[in-house]
Amino acid sequence: MNISIVGAGALGSYFGVRWSKAGANVQFIVREKRAAQLQDNGLKINSMNGDDQIENPVIVTDPTQAAPADIIVVSVKGYHLESVIDTLEKLVDAHTYILPILNGVKHYDVLTNHFGKKKVLGGLANIIATLDDNGHVKHTSKIDEIRFGPLDEGQIEICEQLAEISAAANMTSVYSDKILTDIWYKYMFITAFSGITTVSNMEIGELLVHEETKDIIQQLLHEMRQIAFCEKVDLTVQHLEKAWKTLYSLPASATSSMHQDYRKGLHVELEHLQGAAIELASKHQLDIPHLKTIYGILKAKISL
């Protein structure tokens, strides 16, 4: 299988290396700065699940020079998606599918509007990883799941092919026939988790001690579930229970990637997550006071 990675940060690099070692032909579509780093240092994974590396990764800076791909994995942050559309247009051909593993759901409208619904697969990633100063991947937990599935009947074959190569890779891969529900479950969870940790500037252990903050989390989950219902996605009571089980399973020092980015003074995915949820709620005339409060406070904080 031929796989192109657009967005060779921690996520794209991690899964790209794992696929490459499993026998896939992987090329990394990157900008000049990242290309120089990869050429100088290669690409290495330092992981609790086993280290790995590619000494000479296939690097492409001009998308018109890229080899044809069966699947293009898009792993940029939500706020960078528009900036890679031109790159994707140069990469996509009649036989190519796009697999986005971004947070949220807003990017599906962007991608399907540009490339059509038949081209865009459903996907998400659950992994905690960063890049070190050499551009190598630091994977700091055992969680390294990529989950994907068809959003159209015509995508089943390519998803089965991806499942086959992924099964041979040293990572957790899940072919899901309910990928839209999976995407919305993660959207519900991460919007609540990122919102409460970032607005409070607190880690999850501190937040779960107090009934008042637990109630806010519950209301955020409930409001996201309401939005999902209106979008014809059935998030059940079991999904809420799973979210709470996940929160309590995290180390007390755990926090969201949005909170980490906020602490570092970096751009955060506020519009892609909470902002997009508010837009959907407005479309359906839903009352979502907790989401709006989180969004409003964070909007003010990041503008300072």
Side-chain angles (χ1 to χ4, degrees), residues 185 188 218 221-222 225 235-245:
Y185 167 74
M188 175 184 73
Q218 177 72 0
L221 292 170
H222 174 69
R225 186 183 176 210
L235 294 181
T236 65
V237 172
Q238 286 72 33
H239 286 108
L240 291 176
E241 292 172 350
K242 179 182 177 182
W244 279 108
K245 184 177 180 181

Side-chain angles (χ1 to χ4, degrees), residues 223-238:
E223 289 174 7
M224 287 300 299
R225 186 183 176 210
Q226 283 185 298
I227 297 170
F229 280 158
C230 290
E231 289 290 301
K232 297 182 171 55
V233 178
D234 185 18
L235 294 181
T236 65
V237 172
Q238 286 72 33

Side-chain angles (χ1 to χ4, degrees), residues 243-257:
W244 279 108
K245 184 177 180 181
T246 300
L247 288 170
Y248 275 105
S249 72
L250 295 171
S253 60
T255 193
S256 63
S257 59

Side-chain angles (χ1 to χ4, degrees), residues 175-200:
Y175 177 123
S176 173
D177 58 4
K178 296 181 179 178
I179 191 63
L180 188 60
T181 302
D182 296 337
I183 291 166
W184 267 94
Y185 167 74
K186 185 182 179 185
Y187 188 26
M188 175 184 73
F189 179 85
I190 201 168
T191 301
F193 181 46
S194 65
I196 192 67
T197 51
T198 309
V199 80
S200 66

